[in-house]
Amino acid sequence: MSDTIENKCIEKGVGLTAQRKIIAQVMSKSNDHPNVNELHKRVSLIDPKVSIATVYRTVKLFEEAGILSKHDFKGGKARYEKVPDEHHDHLIDVDTGKIIEFVDEDIEKLQKKVAQKLGYNLVDHRLELYGSKTKK
Amino acid sequence: MSDTIENKCIEKGVGLTAQRKIIAQVMSKSNDHPNVNELHKRVSLIDPKVSIATVYRTVKLFEEAGILSKHDFKGGKARYEKVPDEHHDHLIDVDTGKIIEFVDEDIEKLQKKVAQKLGYNLVDHRLELYGSKTKK
DNA sequence: ATAATTGCAAATGCTTTGCTTGTGA
DNA sequence: TCACAAGCAAAGCATTTGCAATTAT
């Protein structure tokens, strides 16, 4: 159970080549939200011959397979994390860039309610809080 | 009071050149959320010599002056709208691309509360709902 | 005059893709 | 063998920027 991503690949029928395995492992043990460049750096420590194009392709492949999820926070490059067991949203520290995950069931419910009220089924959403410990 | 953007420019000391005036006027009467390309098209109907570079520069200038606000919805180019009198969030119809504005005070309060609980002051946030009338 | 603004085209920066070579079943 | 994947470099796209020409104060 240590290597969830690899297992998911098998489940979803995603062929695991050597480079995909490395990318999977790196993401498995990452507890942050690296961008593609950062991910490529980490992968390169294991095998410096893996190209960044492969990282881009793999990350997209994993996303489409529901293995990774992609975030486009304000003013930056896309970041990835493993798809979590339970949904969460993010608070971004505007001073440090630190990302904190949180869950708030009430907000989730209200979002669904708002969508319904407007005549829609909520199929997706994006909630990001930008916070500071110092600024008002 | 018909031309809020032009007035704001004067208030904020933003020089109003001929091309900026056109861009201001177009945005003033737009009730949707055009992207730069679309905005440029509309501006071109009035003066086809205005370059898209100027539109980009102006839109950024207006944003920094608090006159326009920029949105990066999923999978698209940046869109702009005039800064509204009262804050609102957006629901995007995933089938048609239509954007609906909404306000929900409860969600607003909860967001602030979540940030506080995590030890932060909420300085900004992004809430987007993606909905469909047909898909579950 | 004198500083700011425009237009154009070239440059960015992230991401994707074409194509040839490599590789696994 | 044969379809799929990787590596490289070139291409894409939205956006930004350098610079010379233009305009406003």
Side-chain angles (χ1 to χ4, degrees):
Chain A
M1 60 137 281
S2 63
D3 209 342
T4 320
I5 295 183
E6 287 201 18
N7 290 336
K8 280 194 185 174
C9 285
I10 295 163
E11 279 175 36
K12 318 237 172 179
V14 170
L16 265 181
T17 63
Q19 21 290 74
R20 290 183 187 167
K21 203 171 295 184
I22 295 172
I23 294 166
Q25 285 171 351
V26 170
M27 284 306 297
S28 273
K29 57 168 88 94
S30 293
N31 289 309
D32 54 350
H33 305 69
N35 59 44
V36 172
N37 203 53
E38 174 59 31
L39 176 54
H40 181 235
K41 272 191 210 157
R42 296 182 193 176
V43 166
S44 295
L45 295 178
I46 300 172
D47 180 353
K49 292 186 303 310
V50 176
S51 77
I52 197 160
T54 296
V55 178
Y56 271 107
R57 279 191 273 237
T58 302
V59 114
K60 173 181 262 188
L61 179 73
F62 284 179
E63 194 204 351
E64 284 160 358
I67 295 169
L68 291 181
S69 67
K70 179 184 182 181
H71 303 292
D72 287 284
F73 298 134
K74 288 196 181 189
K77 25 229 106 165
R79 292 159 165 275
Y80 291 84
E81 68 175 324
K82 34 191 183 295
V83 166
D85 296 333
E86 21 173 284
H87 166 75
H88 63 242
D89 291 304
H90 301 88
L91 181 148
I92 297 96
D93 184 322
V94 296
D95 302 314
T96 68
K98 185 180 176 193
I99 296 170
I100 297 166
E101 302 174 352
F102 69 86
V103 181
D104 190 296
E105 287 306 334
D106 294 334
I107 294 182
E108 300 292 327
K109 276 181 212 138
L110 283 170
Q111 292 180 101
K112 211 163 288 175
K113 212 168 84 182
V114 167
Q116 296 291 338
K117 200 183 306 174
L118 295 170
Y120 285 88
N121 300 306
L122 191 61
V123 298
D124 193 8
H125 76 125
R126 184 196 243 173
L127 173 60
E128 293 155 17
L129 305 183
Y130 295 84
S132 170
K133 289 192 187 273
T134 61
K135 296 169 194 157
K136 187 211 61 66
Chain B
M1 62 137 282
S2 63
D3 209 345
T4 320
I5 293 183
E6 287 201 19
N7 290 336
K8 280 193 185 175
C9 284
I10 295 163
E11 279 173 36
K12 318 237 171 180
V14 170
L16 266 181
T17 63
Q19 21 292 72
R20 290 183 187 166
K21 203 172 293 184
I22 295 172
I23 294 167
Q25 285 170 353
V26 170
M27 285 305 297
S28 272
K29 57 169 88 95
S30 293
N31 290 308
D32 54 351
H33 305 69
N35 60 42
V36 172
N37 204 53
E38 174 60 30
L39 176 53
H40 181 234
K41 271 192 210 156
R42 296 181 193 177
V43 166
S44 295
L45 295 177
I46 300 172
D47 180 353
K49 291 185 304 310
V50 177
S51 76
I52 197 160
T54 295
V55 178
Y56 270 107
R57 280 192 273 237
T58 302
V59 114
K60 174 182 264 187
L61 179 73
F62 284 179
E63 194 203 352
E64 285 160 357
I67 294 168
L68 292 181
S69 67
K70 178 184 182 180
H71 301 293
D72 288 284
F73 300 134
K74 288 196 182 189
K77 26 229 106 166
R79 291 160 165 275
Y80 290 85
E81 68 175 325
K82 34 190 183 294
V83 166
D85 296 332
E86 19 172 285
H87 166 76
H88 62 243
D89 291 304
H90 301 88
L91 182 148
I92 296 96
D93 184 322
V94 297
D95 302 314
T96 68
K98 185 180 177 192
I99 295 170
I100 296 166
E101 302 174 352
F102 70 86
V103 180
D104 190 295
E105 287 306 334
D106 293 333
I107 293 182
E108 299 292 328
K109 277 181 214 137
L110 283 171
Q111 290 180 59
K112 212 163 288 176
K113 211 168 85 182
V114 167
Q116 296 291 338
K117 199 182 307 175
L118 295 170
Y120 285 89
N121 300 305
L122 190 61
V123 299
D124 194 8
H125 76 127
R126 185 196 242 172
L127 173 60
E128 293 156 18
L129 305 183
Y130 295 84
S132 170
K133 290 190 186 275
T134 60
K135 295 167 195 160
K136 187 209 60 67

